[in-house]
Amino acid sequence: MRISDSGEYVHSAPWSVGSQGSENVSHGCINVSPSNAKWFYNLSQRGDPITVTGSDRELDAENGWGYWQVKWQDWVKGSALKRSVTTAAHVDAATLSAQRGAKPKAPEKQRAEGN
């Protein structure tokens, strides 16, 4: 998973498992074991924030094509509204197919059930 537009990633690195968490084994990427990589890829979604700890090196906001490494609070300060905006309700992707297959209830039944 890319965490910057200048080449830093979170990725599986089976060659460095013995050193992960105790030695610097990368030139900028976050190396994880194959099992941790699988867990991470299955859990995360595009746009999820990544917080790197245990390093004194910060991602440079000017290093790359975008500003993914700028803190959200600082990014919002540069917006016209100076605040976050929600455009749609959060939808759980796991329930989408179930919702699409369900028959819509008649309005009378929804009112009777309190929906």
Side-chain angles (χ1 to χ4, degrees):
M1 171 182 283
R2 181 170 47 188
I3 61 172
S4 79
D5 282 330
S6 58
E8 283 115 348
Y9 293 80
V10 176
H11 64 79
S12 176
W15 59 86
S16 66
V17 170
S19 301
Q20 292 172 9
S22 61
E23 294 179 48
N24 183 1
V25 293
S26 175
H27 292 103
C29 292
I30 299 173
N31 295 347
V32 294
S33 70
S35 61
N36 284 336
K38 183 177 181 180
W39 172 85
F40 182 72
Y41 295 150
N42 288 331
L43 177 72
S44 59
Q45 296 181 27
R46 185 178 188 174
D48 284 350
I50 305 292
T51 302
V52 177
T53 62
S55 174
D56 58 358
R57 181 182 171 262
E58 291 192 19
L59 288 173
D60 183 9
E62 302 295 328
N63 184 5
W65 301 325
Y67 294 93
W68 289 106
Q69 47 271 41
V70 175
K71 292 180 182 173
W72 180 247
Q73 295 84 353
D74 294 335
W75 181 260
V76 170
K77 288 177 189 174
S79 75
L81 297 176
K82 308 291 187 220
R83 63 180 173 85
S84 298
V85 176
T86 301
T87 58
H90 175 72
V91 177
D92 182 359
T95 63
L96 286 177
S97 59
Q99 291 172 355
R100 288 185 183 142
K103 253 185 148 175
K105 294 180 183 178
E108 301 80 34
K109 190 167 185 175
Q110 287 179 345
R111 280 193 291 275
E113 293 176 357
N115 295 329

